[in-house]
Amino acid sequence: MKNKSLYRKLLLAMAAVGPGLFLIGYNIGTGSVTTMAKTGAEHGMGLFWALVLSCIFTYILMVAYGKVTLVSGKTALFNFKTQFQWGWVLSLYIIIALIIGELLALMGVMGIVADLVQEGIRLAFDGLVIKTFWIILFFSIILYFLLWYGRYRTFEKVLTILVIVMGLSFIVVFFMVKPNFSALAEGIVPNIPNTPGALGLIAAITGTTCSAAVFIMRSTVVAEKGWGINDLRTEKRDAFVSAAMMLLLSGVIMAVAAGTLHISGLKLENTIEMIELFEPIGGKLAAFILIIGIAGAGLSTIFPIVLIAPWLVADYTGRPRNIHSAQSRWLIFGAMLFAFGTVFLEERPPALMIFSQAFQACILPAVAIPIFVLINKKGLMQDHKASKKLNFGIILVILFSLITTWFAITEFL
């Protein structure tokens, strides 16, 4: 009976943070792994401050977007379209920019997952090599089948499993490789390294954590959960859990690379190199666990990515979110075709991921500024306008978004 009671409590706890888990699954993907590992390997924990700020600002905007959705009863893009004079232009810009960014990310994510699974098969079966095309096709068929028959609660359960597997994998590897804790502590002092690519990494950290897509999707998944105005406190707690888990998991990945690769003077150019570099440090078991964790991170990201187009269209038009409609299924099918992008492109998946994340950082001001206006609009929010503390936080997010956008433009243009 005690075991049943504990199991029931765990299920209730998971149900209470459903949207948070969905967004953890979206945020902590192969892009996060690549970015955090590369940052840790090249700069130790010196850019950890950027991750902390990004997670704090992610929490602030998630609370703001969730609150506006709960009070108004409408999702973000629909509010933008109806509450601003030229809101439809802003909404269309956000839709187009997010879909482009997510399709680029999808190519990178599936490419990295395929490379990792290929490496895992090679290690497990004495050098057997399966082409990445067949690996991508295998995962695409499974994912499309789940999306064809599944519902939001099904995705929540699948993402919960993937997030748990991913989190445990990274934490286990962290202790297996025994990073130098004194070196980690010394590297936490904030700085901006005067080296090529440092500004781009800061923008990528922001883009992969404080992502514009996260806040638009936050509005949608809160609505999908069926929460109302009486769930404001639950929404706030859910946002905190989500942001805290993002910080923990991303910080562990950065720390693993900083405490092992950085102090050994090793560099990281792609995710497969990460496995090859960790194998001598943590052994084959660590390599396999790392492959499982990163693949779990990638697959947990793909669900929200392929759902973003049908959900954004429903958000913009104010129609019910029905992923089983003909339009949604065609949009999902079209998105899945982009999963094969790295098979035909010369660009390596990690390079696509870094670029797509920096691209996301450039969209952040377009979602931070409008929500500041909406959450202070008396006609929309009634007695639930933002407090002085929340307004101050959103203003800081806007300033941070403008700075990181400038970093991204400086680095990549």
Side-chain angles (χ1 to χ4, degrees):
M1 291 295 291
K2 285 184 178 179
N3 288 337
K4 283 186 177 180
S5 176
L6 179 62
Y7 179 69
R8 191 169 296 172
K9 286 179 181 178
L10 284 172
L11 286 179
L12 287 172
M14 289 297 184
V17 292
L21 284 170
F22 191 93
L23 294 176
I24 292 168
Y26 170 78
N27 245 23
I28 310 295
T30 49
S32 292
V33 174
T34 304
T35 302
M36 301 308 162
K38 185 174 177 63
T39 301
E42 294 184 8
H43 303 290
M45 297 298 286
L47 293 179
F48 184 65
W49 62 268
L51 175 61
V52 173
L53 282 181
S54 295
C55 288
I56 291 172
F57 293 149
T58 297
Y59 166 72
I60 291 169
L61 282 192
M62 279 200 294
V63 168
Y65 267 85
K67 187 173 185 177
V68 170
T69 299
L70 294 182
V71 173
S72 68
K74 304 294 182 183
T75 48
L77 291 180
F78 188 79
N79 276 328
F80 289 170
K81 187 180 76 169
T82 56
Q83 295 295 323
F84 297 115
Q85 186 176 359
W86 293 93
W88 66 274
V89 177
L90 173 64
S91 296
L92 285 177
Y93 163 74
I94 291 173
I95 289 172
I96 294 167
L98 288 184
I99 289 176
I100 291 172
E102 294 311 304
L103 290 178
L104 287 172
L106 179 59
M107 288 191 281
V109 167
M110 194 62 100
I112 290 172
V113 169
D115 285 347
L116 286 168
V117 172
Q118 184 185 60
E119 180 67 10
I121 292 170
R122 188 189 67 79
L123 289 173
F125 297 99
D126 298 322
L128 174 65
V129 176
I130 296 179
K131 289 184 178 181
T132 54
F133 173 84
W134 298 113
I135 296 171
I136 293 173
L137 181 63
F138 171 76
F139 283 119
S140 295
I141 291 171
I142 291 175
L143 290 168
Y144 196 72
F145 177 83
L146 288 172
L147 288 162
W148 186 277
Y149 291 104
R151 300 187 183 279
Y152 176 77
R153 289 191 177 184
T154 306
F155 306 144
E156 251 190 23
K157 290 175 183 176
V158 173
L159 284 170
T160 299
I161 294 168
L162 290 173
V163 167
I164 291 170
V165 169
M166 169 182 64
L168 289 175
S169 299
F170 292 138
I171 291 169
V172 168
V173 169
F174 177 78
F175 288 105
M176 284 185 71
V177 300
K178 298 175 182 177
N180 188 317
F181 288 97
S182 60
L184 294 181
E186 290 172 6
I188 290 178
V189 179
N191 70 90
I192 299 180
N194 187 23
T195 55
L199 295 181
L201 278 176
I202 293 172
I205 289 170
T206 304
T208 193
T209 307
C210 196
S211 167
V214 164
F215 310 119
I216 300 298
M217 292 291 280
R218 173 71 181 178
S219 171
T220 303
V221 295
V222 164
E224 194 73 23
K225 191 71 177 176
W227 287 348
I229 198 167
N230 295 325
D231 297 297
L232 283 169
R233 184 174 293 181
T234 303
E235 187 270 335
K236 198 172 183 179
R237 182 178 66 241
D238 176 79
F240 177 81
V241 170
S242 180
M245 287 297 292
M246 288 175 194
L247 177 60
L248 172 64
L249 295 178
S250 297
V252 165
I253 298 165
M254 188 185 292
V256 167
T260 53
L261 306 181
H262 181 66
I263 62 174
S264 302
L266 300 172
K267 297 294 181 183
L268 187 69
E269 294 302 328
N270 60 57
T271 318
I272 295 300
E273 278 184 10
M274 186 177 177
I275 307 301
E276 293 170 351
L277 292 174
F278 269 97
E279 191 178 345
I281 297 171
K284 260 193 177 181
L285 181 59
F288 277 121
I289 294 173
L290 205 59
I291 288 171
I292 292 168
I294 300 173
L299 294 174
S300 72
T301 307
I302 291 170
F303 273 105
I305 285 179
V306 297
L307 285 174
I308 199 167
W311 276 5
L312 287 179
V313 171
D315 189 348
Y316 178 77
T317 57
R319 294 174 183 170
R321 289 168 295 281
N322 179 14
I323 63 167
H324 298 137
S325 68
Q327 182 189 61
S328 294
R329 282 174 168 167
W330 276 111
L331 287 170
I332 292 169
F333 179 75
M336 292 304 299
L337 292 179
F338 279 83
F340 295 86
T342 53
V343 176
F344 305 102
L345 296 177
E346 293 182 5
E347 195 69 71
R348 296 305 302 148
L352 280 171
M353 289 306 307
I354 296 291
F355 177 77
S356 69
Q357 288 152 21
F359 182 79
Q360 292 284 1
C362 294
I363 312 171
L364 187 54
V367 297
I369 295 171
I371 202 67
F372 177 72
V373 176
L374 286 184
I375 204 167
N376 288 288
K377 201 167 185 179
K378 177 70 174 175
L380 180 69
M381 300 299 292
Q382 302 299 323
D383 297 327
H384 298 283
K385 287 170 61 178
S387 64
K388 289 181 180 178
K389 189 186 294 184
L390 182 55
N391 274 329
F392 179 69
I394 298 174
I395 290 170
L396 290 180
V397 177
I398 293 170
L399 293 174
F400 183 69
S401 72
L402 293 172
I403 292 169
T404 51
T405 297
W406 179 75
F407 282 173
I409 292 171
T410 302
E411 192 68 48
F412 292 101
L413 293 182

